[in-house]
Amino acid sequence: MRARLAAAVATLALAGCAGRRLPAPAEAVPSPPAIAARLGPGDVFEVRVYQEPELSGIYQVGPQGDVTFPLCQRVPLTGLMPNEVADRLRECLAKGFLRDPQVTVLVREYNSKKVFVFGEVQKPGTFSFEDGMSIVQAVTVAGGFTRSAAQNSTSVTRKVNGQEVKVKVNVQDIALGRAPNFVLQPGDIVFVPESLF
């Protein structure tokens, strides 16, 4: 009975603007990895080519959305996920350079993607998104809450299917282990209101 009551309260807490009820965070928020993993200008990634240390290393996507890679020259990467980048590099290296190359790609920094943190935090502003970034991490990067912050009234606004969706997130409860963490996506706007008390 308590579990059902807790689930009902959690669902009601997600009620949004304009009197319409929003789906739970898992439904309102598309799966982060598919969106977060796509590369853009400024992103930094590591390439590992099995038994080819001279080809392995750290690379950055250029302003035009491409990278200069040994033997392959300029390779366009914008909008690709890490596994797609690995496939593209593998195809290039297999064309007369290496036999059955094994390539893996790991993203190190998402400089092309940002999150925005405003309101009652010490250092409001725009911050680089990191893969798997949580709302607690975003608030921490923004210097933490001010004394007058209404922590459990924090909201996250994001675009879902072309429409802005606003979700209330109980950050204090997350920090105390009373609620699951909330994973952000590139472009999310975190707003911490002032406490009325």
Side-chain angles (χ1 to χ4, degrees), residues 176-188:
L176 295 172
R178 297 176 185 161
N181 214 333
F182 186 94
V183 179
L184 298 176
Q185 290 184 359
D188 278 356

Side-chain angles (χ1 to χ4, degrees), residues 4 22 72 91 94 114 121 136 140 142 179 195:
R4 288 183 190 168
L22 296 178
C72 298
E91 289 171 11
K114 308 290 183 184
V121 291
V136 172
T140 301
S195 176

Side-chain angles (χ1 to χ4, degrees), residues 13-99:
L14 294 170
C17 303
R20 63 179 183 153
R21 195 170 136 210
L22 296 178
E27 297 174 274
V29 182
S31 177
I35 294 177
R38 297 192 181 276
L39 295 176
D43 291 345
V44 177
F45 61 97
E46 181 180 357
V47 177
R48 296 179 186 171
V49 183
Y50 181 65
Q51 292 187 336
E52 297 293 338
E54 67 279 1
L55 297 176
S56 301
I58 306 293
Y59 297 86
Q60 184 171 32
V61 182
Q64 303 302 317
D66 58 10
V67 68
T68 301
F69 190 76
L71 305 178
C72 298
Q73 301 307 317
R74 293 178 66 183
V75 181
L77 302 178
T78 295
L80 297 182
M81 295 173 66
N83 62 324
E84 294 172 324
V85 174
D87 289 343
R88 187 161 288 186
L89 296 178
R90 188 180 302 113
E91 289 171 11
C92 168
L93 293 174
K95 292 179 181 177
F97 300 113
L98 299 175
R99 181 180 295 176

Side-chain angles (χ1 to χ4, degrees), residues 58-192:
I58 306 293
Y59 297 86
Q60 184 171 32
V61 182
Q64 303 302 317
D66 58 10
V67 68
T68 301
F69 190 76
L71 305 178
C72 298
Q73 301 307 317
R74 293 178 66 183
V75 181
L77 302 178
T78 295
L80 297 182
M81 295 173 66
N83 62 324
E84 294 172 324
V85 174
D87 289 343
R88 187 161 288 186
L89 296 178
R90 188 180 302 113
E91 289 171 11
C92 168
L93 293 174
K95 292 179 181 177
F97 300 113
L98 299 175
R99 181 180 295 176
D100 191 27
Q102 301 300 310
V103 182
T104 57
V105 171
L106 304 168
V107 178
R108 295 300 184 196
E109 298 175 18
Y110 281 108
N111 296 320
S112 67
K113 297 168 178 60
K114 308 290 183 184
V115 292
F116 310 90
V117 186
F118 299 109
E120 295 301 313
V121 291
Q122 301 292 341
K123 299 175 183 177
T126 303
F127 304 95
S128 293
F129 174 81
E130 297 176 13
D131 198 12
M133 189 176 203
S134 70
I135 192 165
V136 172
Q137 285 175 285
V139 170
T140 301
V141 170
F145 292 111
T146 64
R147 288 185 178 183
S148 59
Q151 298 180 25
N152 270 352
S153 294
T154 301
S155 65
V156 174
T157 303
R158 81 170 43 148
K159 282 194 175 180
V160 178
N161 299 325
Q163 295 186 338
E164 283 195 349
V165 175
K166 187 174 182 179
V167 179
K168 181 182 172 187
V169 183
N170 298 330
V171 181
Q172 187 175 32
D173 287 351
I174 292 171
L176 295 172
R178 297 176 185 161
N181 214 333
F182 186 94
V183 179
L184 298 176
Q185 290 184 359
D188 278 356
I189 300 170
V190 178
F191 179 73
V192 182

